[in-house]
Amino acid sequence: MPKINTSASSGKTKKEIVQTPKGTRDILPNEMYVWQKVEEKIQAVIEYYGFKPIRTPHFEHTEIFSASLGDATDVVEKQMYTFKTRGGDSLTLRPEGTVPIMRAYLQHGMKSWPQPVMLYYNGSFFRHERPQKGRFREFGQFGIEIVGDGGAVSDAIIIRVLTLALEDLGLKNFTVHINTLGDKECRGAYRKELMQYFRKKVNYLCKDCKVRLKKNPLRILDCDKEECVEIKEGAPQMIEYACSDCKAHFKEVLEFLDELDVPYFLDHYLVRGLDYYSRTVFEIMFEEDQTESEVDKEVDKNEKKKTPRKLALAGGGRYDYLSKALSSKEIPGTGGAIGLDRIVELLKTLNINVGRHRAPKIFLIQLGTYAKRKSLSLMEEFRKSNIPLAQSFSRDSITSQLKIAGKLGVDYALILGQKEAMENAVIVRSMYDGIQETVPIPKLLEYVKKKLKK
Ligand code: AMP
Protein backbone atom coordinates (compact mmCIF):
# COMPACT_ATOMS: atom_id res chain seq x y z
CA MET A 1 0.00 0.00 0.00
CA PRO A 2 1.40 3.45 -0.83
CA LYS A 3 2.43 5.32 2.27
CA ILE A 4 1.39 8.88 2.90
CA ASN A 5 4.84 10.43 2.73
CA THR A 6 5.66 13.34 4.87
CA SER A 7 8.62 15.51 4.03
CA ALA A 8 10.07 18.09 6.35
CA SER A 9 11.31 21.16 4.56
CA SER A 10 11.73 24.54 6.16
CA GLY A 11 10.61 23.13 9.47
CA LYS A 12 7.05 22.28 8.27
CA THR A 13 5.84 18.76 7.54
CA LYS A 14 4.13 18.38 4.19
CA LYS A 15 1.96 15.42 3.30
CA GLU A 16 2.42 14.08 -0.21
CA ILE A 17 -0.88 13.41 -1.94
CA VAL A 18 -1.58 9.75 -2.68
CA GLN A 19 -2.13 9.29 -6.43
CA THR A 20 -4.50 6.95 -8.29
CA PRO A 21 -3.09 3.40 -8.60
CA LYS A 22 -0.97 2.65 -11.68
CA GLY A 23 -3.05 2.16 -14.83
CA THR A 24 -6.10 3.95 -13.41
CA ARG A 25 -7.12 7.60 -13.58
CA ASP A 26 -9.76 10.11 -12.64
CA ILE A 27 -12.00 11.35 -15.40
CA LEU A 28 -12.71 14.98 -14.67
CA PRO A 29 -15.93 16.89 -15.53
CA ASN A 30 -14.94 18.20 -18.99
CA GLU A 31 -13.94 14.73 -20.15
CA MET A 32 -16.90 13.13 -18.38
CA TYR A 33 -19.25 15.18 -20.57
CA VAL A 34 -17.60 13.63 -23.63
CA TRP A 35 -17.93 10.13 -22.11
CA GLN A 36 -21.61 10.75 -21.40
CA LYS A 37 -22.26 11.94 -24.97
CA VAL A 38 -20.36 8.97 -26.39
CA GLU A 39 -22.33 6.56 -24.22
CA GLU A 40 -25.60 8.27 -25.14
CA LYS A 41 -24.87 7.96 -28.87
CA ILE A 42 -23.80 4.33 -28.69
CA GLN A 43 -26.84 3.49 -26.57
CA ALA A 44 -29.22 5.15 -29.05
CA VAL A 45 -28.03 2.91 -31.93
CA ILE A 46 -27.97 -0.22 -29.81
CA GLU A 47 -31.43 0.29 -28.33
CA TYR A 48 -32.83 0.96 -31.80
CA TYR A 49 -31.64 -2.49 -32.85
CA GLY A 50 -33.50 -4.09 -29.94
CA PHE A 51 -30.75 -4.70 -27.37
CA LYS A 52 -31.86 -4.40 -23.74
CA PRO A 53 -29.79 -3.16 -20.80
CA ILE A 54 -28.30 -5.42 -18.15
CA ARG A 55 -25.95 -4.76 -15.25
CA THR A 56 -23.86 -7.49 -13.63
CA PRO A 57 -21.55 -7.25 -10.59
CA HIS A 58 -18.04 -5.86 -10.84
CA PHE A 59 -16.71 -9.08 -9.35
CA GLU A 60 -17.65 -12.71 -9.90
CA HIS A 61 -16.56 -16.14 -8.68
CA THR A 62 -13.09 -16.71 -10.15
CA GLU A 63 -14.03 -20.08 -11.56
CA ILE A 64 -16.41 -18.65 -14.18
CA PHE A 65 -13.47 -16.92 -15.82
CA SER A 66 -10.85 -19.60 -15.29
CA ALA A 67 -13.21 -22.27 -16.67
CA SER A 68 -14.07 -20.39 -19.83
CA LEU A 69 -11.34 -18.00 -20.94
CA GLY A 70 -8.63 -20.69 -21.15
CA ASP A 71 -5.64 -21.52 -18.94
CA ALA A 72 -3.09 -20.51 -21.51
CA THR A 73 -4.51 -17.03 -22.06
CA ASP A 74 -2.85 -13.83 -20.94
CA VAL A 75 -6.02 -12.79 -19.13
CA VAL A 76 -6.14 -15.87 -16.91
CA GLU A 77 -2.37 -16.31 -16.55
CA LYS A 78 -1.37 -12.75 -15.76
CA GLN A 79 -4.15 -10.21 -15.86
CA MET A 80 -6.91 -11.12 -13.44
CA TYR A 81 -7.36 -9.24 -10.18
CA THR A 82 -8.22 -12.14 -7.93
CA PHE A 83 -8.75 -11.98 -4.18
CA LYS A 84 -9.94 -14.17 -1.35
CA THR A 85 -12.95 -13.15 0.73
CA ARG A 86 -12.94 -13.47 4.52
CA GLY A 87 -15.03 -16.60 4.04
CA GLY A 88 -12.35 -18.09 1.78
CA ASP A 89 -14.11 -17.70 -1.61
CA SER A 90 -12.02 -16.70 -4.58
CA LEU A 91 -13.45 -13.70 -6.41
CA THR A 92 -12.19 -11.84 -9.49
CA LEU A 93 -12.77 -8.31 -10.75
CA ARG A 94 -14.40 -8.89 -14.12
CA PRO A 95 -11.76 -8.77 -16.90
CA GLU A 96 -14.41 -8.88 -19.66
CA GLY A 97 -18.18 -8.76 -20.13
CA THR A 98 -19.29 -11.82 -22.08
CA VAL A 99 -18.74 -14.49 -19.41
CA PRO A 100 -20.85 -12.62 -16.78
CA ILE A 101 -23.63 -12.20 -19.37
CA MET A 102 -23.67 -15.92 -20.09
CA ARG A 103 -23.59 -16.61 -16.33
CA ALA A 104 -26.61 -14.29 -15.92
CA TYR A 105 -28.42 -15.93 -18.86
CA LEU A 106 -28.01 -19.35 -17.22
CA GLN A 107 -28.71 -18.18 -13.67
CA HIS A 108 -31.97 -16.44 -14.58
CA GLY A 109 -33.25 -19.11 -16.95
CA MET A 110 -33.29 -16.74 -19.91
CA LYS A 111 -33.63 -19.81 -22.13
CA SER A 112 -37.37 -19.55 -21.42
CA TRP A 113 -37.47 -15.93 -22.68
CA PRO A 114 -38.19 -15.27 -26.36
CA GLN A 115 -34.96 -16.16 -28.20
CA PRO A 116 -32.48 -14.81 -28.96
CA VAL A 117 -31.89 -12.64 -25.91
CA MET A 118 -30.24 -9.39 -26.96
CA LEU A 119 -28.45 -7.56 -24.16
CA TYR A 120 -26.12 -4.62 -23.73
CA TYR A 121 -23.88 -3.47 -20.89
CA ASN A 122 -21.65 -0.53 -20.16
CA GLY A 123 -19.12 -0.39 -17.36
CA SER A 124 -15.62 -0.85 -16.01
CA PHE A 125 -13.42 -3.87 -16.60
CA PHE A 126 -10.12 -4.73 -14.95
CA ARG A 127 -6.95 -6.29 -16.33
CA HIS A 128 -3.49 -6.20 -14.85
CA GLU A 129 -1.79 -5.11 -18.08
CA ARG A 130 1.29 -3.01 -18.69
CA PRO A 131 -0.19 0.50 -18.85
CA GLN A 132 0.54 2.45 -22.03
CA LYS A 133 -1.26 4.86 -24.35
CA GLY A 134 -4.86 3.64 -24.69
CA ARG A 135 -4.32 0.74 -22.30
CA PHE A 136 -5.43 0.94 -18.71
CA ARG A 137 -5.92 -1.42 -15.80
CA GLU A 138 -9.47 -0.20 -15.35
CA PHE A 139 -11.16 0.61 -18.65
CA GLY A 140 -14.66 1.19 -19.99
CA GLN A 141 -16.45 -1.05 -22.45
CA PHE A 142 -19.84 -0.84 -24.11
CA GLY A 143 -20.78 -4.36 -25.13
CA ILE A 144 -23.61 -6.12 -26.93
CA GLU A 145 -24.52 -9.80 -26.94
CA ILE A 146 -27.01 -11.95 -28.85
CA VAL A 147 -27.49 -15.16 -26.87
CA GLY A 148 -29.48 -18.12 -28.15
CA ASP A 149 -28.90 -17.88 -31.90
CA GLY A 150 -26.23 -19.63 -33.93
CA GLY A 151 -27.06 -17.97 -37.25
CA ALA A 152 -24.64 -15.91 -39.31
CA VAL A 153 -27.11 -13.02 -39.32
CA SER A 154 -26.49 -12.44 -35.59
CA ASP A 155 -22.74 -12.13 -36.15
CA ALA A 156 -23.40 -9.64 -38.93
CA ILE A 157 -25.82 -7.63 -36.76
CA ILE A 158 -23.22 -7.34 -33.98
CA ILE A 159 -20.60 -6.04 -36.41
CA ARG A 160 -23.08 -3.78 -38.17
CA VAL A 161 -24.36 -2.19 -34.96
CA LEU A 162 -20.85 -1.57 -33.63
CA THR A 163 -19.73 0.04 -36.89
CA LEU A 164 -22.90 2.16 -37.00
CA ALA A 165 -22.18 3.37 -33.47
CA LEU A 166 -18.64 4.35 -34.49
CA GLU A 167 -19.99 6.15 -37.57
CA ASP A 168 -22.54 8.02 -35.47
CA LEU A 169 -19.66 9.24 -33.33
CA GLY A 170 -18.12 10.76 -36.45
CA LEU A 171 -15.40 8.14 -36.93
CA LYS A 172 -14.61 6.97 -40.46
CA ASN A 173 -11.20 5.40 -41.00
CA PHE A 174 -11.80 2.04 -39.47
CA THR A 175 -11.81 -1.47 -40.92
CA VAL A 176 -13.42 -4.63 -39.70
CA HIS A 177 -10.77 -7.37 -39.49
CA ILE A 178 -12.53 -10.70 -39.61
CA ASN A 179 -11.68 -14.40 -39.49
CA THR A 180 -13.22 -17.75 -38.65
CA LEU A 181 -11.85 -20.04 -35.96
CA GLY A 182 -13.95 -23.01 -37.06
CA ASP A 183 -15.54 -25.36 -34.56
CA LYS A 184 -14.04 -27.90 -32.15
CA GLU A 185 -13.38 -30.52 -34.81
CA CYS A 186 -11.92 -28.50 -37.61
CA ARG A 187 -9.98 -26.27 -35.24
CA GLY A 188 -8.36 -29.41 -33.81
CA ALA A 189 -6.94 -30.29 -37.22
CA TYR A 190 -5.74 -26.72 -37.70
CA ARG A 191 -4.07 -26.71 -34.29
CA LYS A 192 -2.10 -29.81 -35.20
CA GLU A 193 -0.99 -28.26 -38.45
CA LEU A 194 0.06 -25.04 -36.68
CA MET A 195 1.95 -27.01 -34.08
CA GLN A 196 3.94 -28.76 -36.79
CA TYR A 197 4.68 -25.51 -38.55
CA PHE A 198 5.87 -23.64 -35.45
CA ARG A 199 7.83 -26.61 -34.11
CA LYS A 200 10.15 -26.30 -37.08
CA LYS A 201 10.78 -22.67 -36.16
CA VAL A 202 10.74 -22.99 -32.39
CA ASN A 203 14.24 -21.56 -31.97
CA TYR A 204 13.16 -18.27 -33.52
CA LEU A 205 10.02 -17.78 -31.41
CA CYS A 206 9.96 -15.44 -28.42
CA LYS A 207 10.14 -16.89 -24.91
CA ASP A 208 6.37 -16.67 -24.31
CA CYS A 209 5.55 -18.30 -27.64
CA LYS A 210 7.82 -21.25 -26.91
CA VAL A 211 5.49 -21.95 -23.96
CA ARG A 212 2.40 -21.19 -26.07
CA LEU A 213 3.54 -23.77 -28.61
CA LYS A 214 3.05 -26.49 -26.02
CA LYS A 215 -0.16 -25.16 -24.47
CA ASN A 216 -2.01 -23.32 -27.23
CA PRO A 217 -0.27 -22.73 -30.57
CA LEU A 218 -3.13 -20.54 -31.84
CA ARG A 219 -2.05 -17.89 -29.37
CA ILE A 220 1.26 -17.52 -31.21
CA LEU A 221 -0.74 -15.85 -33.98
CA ASP A 222 -1.73 -13.18 -31.44
CA CYS A 223 1.86 -12.32 -30.50
CA ASP A 224 3.06 -8.91 -31.61
CA LYS A 225 6.80 -9.51 -31.07
CA GLU A 226 8.69 -8.81 -34.29
CA GLU A 227 10.31 -12.25 -34.53
CA CYS A 228 6.96 -14.05 -34.12
CA VAL A 229 5.10 -11.73 -36.52
CA GLU A 230 7.64 -12.63 -39.23
CA ILE A 231 7.29 -16.37 -38.65
CA LYS A 232 3.51 -16.04 -38.61
CA GLU A 233 3.51 -14.78 -42.22
CA GLY A 234 4.01 -18.27 -43.64
CA ALA A 235 1.79 -20.14 -41.18
CA PRO A 236 -1.18 -22.24 -42.36
CA GLN A 237 -4.54 -20.44 -42.34
CA MET A 238 -7.68 -21.62 -40.53
CA ILE A 239 -9.91 -21.15 -43.56
CA GLU A 240 -8.03 -23.96 -45.37
CA TYR A 241 -8.96 -26.36 -42.58
CA ALA A 242 -12.52 -25.19 -41.86
CA CYS A 243 -15.20 -27.87 -42.33
CA SER A 244 -17.93 -27.26 -44.85
CA ASP A 245 -20.44 -26.06 -42.18
CA CYS A 246 -17.99 -23.54 -40.74
CA LYS A 247 -17.01 -22.36 -44.21
CA ALA A 248 -20.67 -21.89 -45.16
CA HIS A 249 -21.35 -20.00 -41.91
CA PHE A 250 -18.40 -17.68 -42.50
CA LYS A 251 -19.40 -17.12 -46.13
CA GLU A 252 -22.87 -16.16 -44.98
CA VAL A 253 -21.52 -13.65 -42.44
CA LEU A 254 -19.45 -12.04 -45.21
CA GLU A 255 -22.44 -11.95 -47.56
CA PHE A 256 -24.49 -10.15 -44.92
CA LEU A 257 -21.68 -7.64 -44.45
CA ASP A 258 -21.48 -7.12 -48.24
CA GLU A 259 -25.22 -6.55 -48.34
CA LEU A 260 -24.97 -4.05 -45.47
CA ASP A 261 -22.03 -2.28 -47.12
CA VAL A 262 -19.73 -2.92 -44.18
CA PRO A 263 -16.17 -3.05 -45.56
CA TYR A 264 -13.99 -5.78 -44.06
CA PHE A 265 -10.53 -7.24 -44.32
CA LEU A 266 -10.02 -11.00 -44.21
CA ASP A 267 -7.40 -11.33 -41.51
CA HIS A 268 -6.42 -15.00 -41.64
CA TYR A 269 -4.29 -14.79 -38.53
CA LEU A 270 -6.80 -13.03 -36.28
CA VAL A 271 -7.46 -15.36 -33.34
CA ARG A 272 -8.20 -13.05 -30.37
CA GLY A 273 -6.98 -13.82 -26.91
CA LEU A 274 -9.69 -15.96 -25.36
CA ASP A 275 -10.52 -19.64 -25.65
CA TYR A 276 -14.29 -19.38 -25.74
CA TYR A 277 -14.44 -18.08 -29.29
CA SER A 278 -15.66 -20.30 -32.13
CA ARG A 279 -16.29 -19.50 -35.78
CA THR A 280 -16.49 -15.73 -36.38
CA VAL A 281 -14.00 -13.43 -34.67
CA PHE A 282 -13.50 -9.77 -35.51
CA GLU A 283 -11.74 -6.61 -34.48
CA ILE A 284 -12.50 -3.08 -35.59
CA MET A 285 -9.21 -1.33 -36.25
CA PHE A 286 -8.52 2.33 -36.65
CA GLU A 287 -5.38 3.21 -38.57
CA GLU A 288 -3.84 6.13 -36.76
CA ASP A 289 -1.75 7.28 -39.71
CA GLN A 290 -4.81 8.11 -41.74
CA THR A 291 -5.63 10.89 -39.35
CA GLU A 292 -4.53 14.45 -39.40
CA SER A 293 -3.62 14.32 -35.76
CA GLU A 294 -1.08 16.60 -34.21
CA VAL A 295 1.25 13.62 -33.80
CA ASP A 296 1.17 12.90 -37.52
CA LYS A 297 1.72 16.51 -38.48
CA GLU A 298 4.72 16.54 -36.21
CA VAL A 299 6.05 13.40 -37.88
CA ASP A 300 5.54 14.93 -41.36
CA LYS A 301 7.44 18.01 -40.33
CA ASN A 302 10.39 15.93 -39.31
CA GLU A 303 10.01 13.81 -42.47
CA LYS A 304 10.44 10.67 -40.47
CA LYS A 305 8.83 7.47 -41.56
CA LYS A 306 6.27 6.18 -39.17
CA THR A 307 4.70 2.75 -39.42
CA PRO A 308 0.93 3.13 -39.19
CA ARG A 309 -0.16 2.16 -35.71
CA LYS A 310 -3.38 0.26 -35.74
CA LEU A 311 -5.64 0.85 -32.82
CA ALA A 312 -8.27 -1.72 -31.85
CA LEU A 313 -11.47 0.18 -31.09
CA ALA A 314 -13.74 -2.83 -30.69
CA GLY A 315 -13.65 -6.58 -30.84
CA GLY A 316 -15.75 -9.66 -30.44
CA GLY A 317 -16.92 -12.91 -31.92
CA ARG A 318 -19.02 -16.02 -31.60
CA TYR A 319 -18.84 -18.17 -28.46
CA ASP A 320 -20.91 -21.29 -29.07
CA TYR A 321 -19.06 -23.35 -26.43
CA LEU A 322 -19.01 -20.82 -23.63
CA SER A 323 -22.23 -22.03 -21.98
CA LYS A 324 -20.80 -25.58 -21.85
CA ALA A 325 -17.85 -24.32 -19.83
CA LEU A 326 -20.25 -22.85 -17.26
CA SER A 327 -23.07 -25.43 -17.32
CA SER A 328 -24.26 -28.57 -19.03
CA LYS A 329 -26.28 -26.56 -21.53
CA GLU A 330 -25.21 -25.74 -25.05
CA ILE A 331 -26.35 -22.23 -25.95
CA PRO A 332 -24.89 -20.39 -28.92
CA GLY A 333 -24.00 -16.74 -28.67
CA THR A 334 -22.19 -13.89 -30.34
CA GLY A 335 -21.17 -10.40 -29.26
CA GLY A 336 -18.69 -7.57 -29.26
CA ALA A 337 -17.53 -4.58 -27.24
CA ILE A 338 -16.34 -1.06 -27.95
CA GLY A 339 -13.46 0.31 -25.85
CA LEU A 340 -14.64 3.66 -24.52
CA ASP A 341 -11.28 5.04 -23.31
CA ARG A 342 -9.82 4.72 -26.79
CA ILE A 343 -12.89 6.23 -28.45
CA VAL A 344 -12.84 9.30 -26.19
CA GLU A 345 -9.08 9.73 -26.71
CA LEU A 346 -9.45 9.35 -30.48
CA LEU A 347 -12.28 11.88 -30.68
CA LYS A 348 -10.03 14.33 -28.87
CA THR A 349 -7.08 13.67 -31.21
CA LEU A 350 -9.29 14.07 -34.28
CA ASN A 351 -10.98 17.16 -32.88
CA ILE A 352 -14.41 15.61 -33.29
CA ASN A 353 -17.07 17.30 -31.22
CA VAL A 354 -19.77 14.86 -30.16
CA GLY A 355 -22.05 17.62 -28.96
CA ARG A 356 -21.99 19.80 -25.93
CA HIS A 357 -23.37 19.44 -22.51
CA ARG A 358 -26.64 21.40 -22.36
CA ALA A 359 -25.17 24.66 -21.18
CA PRO A 360 -27.37 27.03 -19.14
CA LYS A 361 -28.46 30.23 -20.84
CA ILE A 362 -29.42 32.02 -17.63
CA PHE A 363 -27.62 32.77 -14.39
CA LEU A 364 -29.34 33.49 -11.10
CA ILE A 365 -27.70 36.15 -8.96
CA GLN A 366 -28.78 36.65 -5.36
CA LEU A 367 -27.85 39.38 -2.91
CA GLY A 368 -28.51 38.92 0.80
CA THR A 369 -29.92 36.12 2.95
CA TYR A 370 -33.60 36.64 2.14
CA ALA A 371 -32.85 36.71 -1.62
CA LYS A 372 -30.73 33.56 -1.24
CA ARG A 373 -33.64 31.71 0.36
CA LYS A 374 -36.02 32.86 -2.36
CA SER A 375 -33.50 31.90 -5.05
CA LEU A 376 -33.57 28.27 -4.00
CA SER A 377 -37.32 27.94 -4.59
CA LEU A 378 -37.03 29.94 -7.81
CA MET A 379 -34.40 27.51 -9.02
CA GLU A 380 -36.81 24.64 -8.42
CA GLU A 381 -39.40 26.27 -10.69
CA PHE A 382 -36.85 26.50 -13.49
CA ARG A 383 -35.82 22.87 -12.99
CA LYS A 384 -39.42 21.70 -13.19
CA SER A 385 -39.79 23.63 -16.47
CA ASN A 386 -36.60 21.94 -17.73
CA ILE A 387 -34.73 25.21 -18.22
CA PRO A 388 -31.04 24.87 -17.29
CA LEU A 389 -29.95 27.58 -14.90
CA ALA A 390 -26.56 28.29 -13.36
CA GLN A 391 -25.87 29.95 -10.02
CA SER A 392 -23.18 30.48 -7.44
CA PHE A 393 -24.99 30.48 -4.09
CA SER A 394 -21.75 30.56 -2.13
CA ARG A 395 -20.92 34.03 -3.45
CA ASP A 396 -22.39 37.25 -2.18
CA SER A 397 -21.08 40.11 -4.31
CA ILE A 398 -22.82 41.10 -7.53
CA THR A 399 -19.50 41.73 -9.28
CA SER A 400 -18.17 38.24 -8.71
CA GLN A 401 -21.50 36.65 -9.67
CA LEU A 402 -21.72 38.72 -12.86
CA LYS A 403 -18.16 37.72 -13.68
CA ILE A 404 -19.06 34.02 -13.51
CA ALA A 405 -22.19 34.61 -15.59
CA GLY A 406 -19.97 36.32 -18.19
CA LYS A 407 -17.51 33.43 -18.22
CA LEU A 408 -20.30 30.91 -18.74
CA GLY A 409 -21.56 32.94 -21.70
CA VAL A 410 -25.20 33.00 -20.56
CA ASP A 411 -27.74 35.21 -22.35
CA TYR A 412 -29.47 36.60 -19.25
CA ALA A 413 -28.68 37.23 -15.61
CA LEU A 414 -31.61 37.17 -13.18
CA ILE A 415 -30.79 39.48 -10.29
CA LEU A 416 -32.59 39.01 -7.02
CA GLY A 417 -31.47 41.82 -4.68
CA GLN A 418 -32.78 42.68 -1.20
CA LYS A 419 -35.30 45.15 -2.60
CA GLU A 420 -36.51 42.81 -5.37
CA ALA A 421 -36.87 39.94 -2.90
CA MET A 422 -39.12 42.13 -0.71
CA GLU A 423 -41.15 43.15 -3.76
CA ASN A 424 -41.33 39.58 -5.11
CA ALA A 425 -39.66 40.59 -8.35
CA VAL A 426 -36.45 39.91 -10.29
CA ILE A 427 -34.29 42.08 -12.52
CA VAL A 428 -33.71 40.42 -15.89
CA ARG A 429 -30.48 41.70 -17.40
CA SER A 430 -29.41 41.01 -20.96
CA MET A 431 -25.76 40.02 -20.97
CA TYR A 432 -25.36 41.36 -24.53
CA ASP A 433 -26.40 44.98 -24.10
CA GLY A 434 -26.89 45.35 -20.34
CA ILE A 435 -30.59 46.34 -20.76
CA GLN A 436 -32.53 45.47 -17.61
CA GLU A 437 -36.17 45.01 -16.81
CA THR A 438 -37.90 44.27 -13.51
CA VAL A 439 -40.34 41.36 -13.77
CA PRO A 440 -42.71 40.13 -11.02
CA ILE A 441 -41.81 36.58 -9.94
CA PRO A 442 -45.21 35.05 -10.86
CA LYS A 443 -44.62 36.19 -14.47
CA LEU A 444 -40.90 35.39 -14.57
CA LEU A 445 -40.98 31.88 -16.05
CA GLU A 446 -43.16 32.87 -19.01
CA TYR A 447 -41.10 36.01 -19.55
CA VAL A 448 -37.80 34.09 -19.62
CA LYS A 449 -39.22 31.37 -21.87
CA LYS A 450 -40.29 34.01 -24.41
CA LYS A 451 -36.89 35.71 -24.23
CA LEU A 452 -35.03 32.43 -24.76
CA LYS A 453 -37.20 31.56 -27.77
CA LYS A 454 -36.17 34.78 -29.45
P1 AMP B 1 -11.31 -7.07 -25.78
O1 AMP B 1 -12.24 -7.33 -24.65
O2 AMP B 1 -9.88 -7.31 -25.43
O3 AMP B 1 -11.74 -7.67 -27.04
O4 AMP B 1 -11.38 -5.51 -26.03
C1 AMP B 1 -12.39 -4.85 -26.73
C2 AMP B 1 -12.00 -3.40 -26.81
O5 AMP B 1 -11.84 -2.85 -25.50
C3 AMP B 1 -10.63 -3.20 -27.46
O6 AMP B 1 -10.75 -3.10 -28.85
C4 AMP B 1 -10.17 -1.90 -26.83
O7 AMP B 1 -10.73 -0.80 -27.51
C5 AMP B 1 -10.75 -1.96 -25.44
N1 AMP B 1 -9.76 -2.42 -24.45
C6 AMP B 1 -9.38 -3.68 -24.17
N2 AMP B 1 -8.46 -3.70 -23.19
C7 AMP B 1 -8.23 -2.43 -22.84
C8 AMP B 1 -7.39 -1.77 -21.88
N3 AMP B 1 -6.59 -2.46 -21.08
N4 AMP B 1 -7.43 -0.42 -21.80
C9 AMP B 1 -8.25 0.30 -22.59
N5 AMP B 1 -9.07 -0.26 -23.51
C10 AMP B 1 -9.07 -1.59 -23.64
Side-chain angles (χ1 to χ4, degrees), residues 127 129 134-136 139 141 272 312-315 337 339 342:
R127 292 181 199 165
E129 296 194 78
R135 181 171 297 163
F136 302 95
F139 55 94
Q141 277 190 353
R272 295 188 43 78
L313 297 181
R342 293 188 189 172

Side-chain angles (χ1 to χ4, degrees), residues 346-361:
L346 190 58
L347 293 172
K348 197 160 80 183
T349 314
L350 299 177
N351 253 329
I352 297 176
N353 189 349
V354 274
R356 283 193 34 189
H357 177 63
R358 203 174 154 216
K361 289 198 160 50

